[in-house]
Amino acid sequence: MRHLLDTADLSGDDIVELLELTDEFVKVSARSIPKVPALRGRTVASLFYEDSTRTRLSFETAAKRLSADTMTFSVGTSSVKKGESLRDTALTIEAMGVDAVVVRHGSSGAPHRVASWIDAAVINGGDGWHDHPTQALLDCYTLTRRLGTERLDGARIAIVGDIKHSRVARADISAFTALGASVTLVAPPTLLPPSRAGWPVEVSHHLDEVLGTVDAVYLLRMQRERMTEALIPSLREYTSRYGLTHDRLRRLADDVVVMHPGPMNRGIEIAPEAADDPRAVIVDQVRNGVAVRMAVLFELLASETRAVSEPDGAVVSDPGVDGAPLEISRG
Ligand code: NCD
């Protein structure tokens, strides 16, 4: 793996392997000093053209826990304001010496363009409506570990809400089904993409019918910043038909897993008490996101030098700068 651009590039086996590696980094993250020298001397840059809280912080935390140096680029304070193109910005960042660039952009395909211009590894941190591979991986990690399974064979997952504008939905459909799950999209017709040709999903417009049949319900944020036309009569109407309201939460079976990628609109797609319910794994998704991104960075930047990854995660070693093995002792 040289870049991580599209979720669909990952087979079920690739995902399982990355999730197993993630287990090791969850153990590292639980240590009193949650840090390993695996990527010492490497630099990871984040190139974010769109707002983000958790994805950017998560990648930066992941890079730091692997002892990489980090560089942050935010459009608001950069030469993009002076008209610099994406290509020039990417080449400038590369010239400073980076090993990996995490790209978030409002246009679908922007990370692919960056990957064609520079030699560093490129990770798609979310591009337009298109894809968000590390979100899909952290969702698969969170759900499999909650269900106590390696894959999602036979699991039924409802993805509810603004599918049309959601890169998370596209990424998750690909990853969940690669692991064997069956996915039902639940949304009003106006929030579904006009063509779903080739999507391995079922579609419903009735949340109440679907909720009784699923193992997990994945709520999506209403992406008001991407809506160019009035797609729903009102938010109140949306909530009453498609929100995980207090009432629906009461009727939900005890073992259904509630997920949301964040940021949440509490009171719209998810009632505050649903977000805080023990069935919700929303905080676990964020926590696991760091370990998943450690696994991705490790896989992209350290795989050729990877020496030991013991089953108990006690030792992860790397040849280090001068070729001498650098062992990380148990924390
Ligand atoms: C999502 C995103 O930006 O794609 N958030 C995230 O990365 N956790 C979803 C969203 O914005 O609704």
Side-chain angles (χ1 to χ4, degrees):
M1 192 161 88
R2 208 169 102 63
H3 304 291
L4 179 57
L5 298 172
D6 293 298
T7 309
D9 290 342
L10 301 171
S11 68
D13 289 343
D14 294 336
I15 296 173
V16 167
E17 217 175 280
L18 276 165
L19 303 190
E20 277 169 6
L21 187 55
T22 301
D23 280 331
E24 302 307 314
F25 290 115
V26 165
K27 289 179 200 156
V28 168
S29 297
R31 294 181 190 173
S32 56
I33 300 173
K35 204 161 173 147
V36 289
L39 296 186
R40 209 161 71 167
R42 307 294 182 98
T43 301
V44 177
S46 38
L47 181 54
F48 274 54
Y49 282 80
E50 245 191 20
D51 295 341
S52 162
T53 308
R54 66 214 84 224
T55 304
R56 189 164 58 76
L57 292 178
S58 181
F59 268 111
E60 288 173 8
T61 305
K64 286 180 176 149
R65 287 190 182 167
L66 293 167
S67 303
D69 294 316
T70 56
M71 228 197 285
T72 304
F73 165 96
S74 310
V75 169
T77 54
S78 72
S79 291
V80 169
K81 288 256 178 248
K82 302 177 187 167
E84 188 166 67
S85 70
L86 176 62
R87 182 166 187 272
D88 286 334
T89 304
L91 293 176
T92 300
I93 288 182
E94 178 167 59
M96 292 180 196
V98 296
D99 300 286
V101 185
V102 184
V103 182
R104 168 166 288 200
H105 203 285
S107 301
S108 300
H112 306 67
R113 301 288 290 150
V114 173
S116 74
W117 296 322
I118 67 176
D119 286 330
V122 176
I123 301 170
N124 184 352
D127 63 327
W129 303 3
H130 173 240
D131 208 340
H132 195 352
T134 57
Q135 180 71 44
L137 289 169
L138 75 89
D139 288 336
C140 288
Y141 186 81
T142 305
L143 188 54
T144 52
R145 272 39 180 182
R146 170 59 75 112
L147 297 174
T149 54
E150 190 180 80
R151 291 176 180 257
L152 295 172
D153 292 310
R156 287 150 306 165
I157 305 168
I159 302 181
V160 186
D162 183 3
I163 316 281
K164 179 173 180 171
H165 301 99
S166 176
R167 54 190 172 216
V168 173
R170 287 168 178 76
D172 277 350
I173 290 167
S174 175
F176 289 159
T177 55
L179 289 183
S182 35
V183 173
T184 303
L185 307 180
V186 186
T190 48
L191 291 181
L192 286 164
S195 163
R196 295 180 299 278
W199 288 29
V201 295
E202 287 180 29
V203 172
S204 166
H205 306 304
H206 304 285
L207 181 57
D208 290 313
E209 285 172 13
V210 173
L211 278 186
T213 68
V214 293
D215 302 292
V217 53
Y218 197 108
L219 285 323
L220 294 168
R221 182 175 66 91
M222 287 294 287
Q223 304 219 359
R224 283 175 282 184
E225 79 277 16
R226 297 194 206 280
M227 290 188 189
T228 49
E229 54 205 299
L231 296 174
I232 49 167
S234 72
L235 284 175
R236 184 191 297 227
E237 151 104 8
Y238 176 82
T239 303
S240 78
R241 298 195 53 190
Y242 296 99
L244 186 59
T245 56
H246 179 76
D247 237 33
R248 292 196 174 99
L249 184 72
R250 270 197 308 117
R251 281 183 274 128
L252 198 65
D254 284 347
D255 54 355
V256 175
V257 184
V258 175
M259 305 180 77
H260 191 301
M264 290 184 272
N265 294 307
R266 283 179 185 246
I268 299 178
E269 69 268 4
I270 185 164
E273 55 274 34
D276 300 327
D277 192 88
R279 285 165 284 188
V281 292
I282 300 164
V283 178
D284 303 276
Q285 288 173 269
V286 176
R287 187 181 307 110
N288 293 333
V290 175
V292 159
R293 289 173 176 123
M294 288 171 82
V296 167
L297 287 169
F298 187 82
E299 186 66 30
L300 288 174
L301 297 183
S303 49
E304 73 276 18
T305 54
R306 185 157 138 201
V308 193
S309 174
E310 287 199 341
D312 69 355
V315 179
V316 178
S317 76
D318 175 285
V321 202
D322 53 9
L326 252 181
E327 282 213 333
I328 300 112
S329 57
R330 192 194 297 269

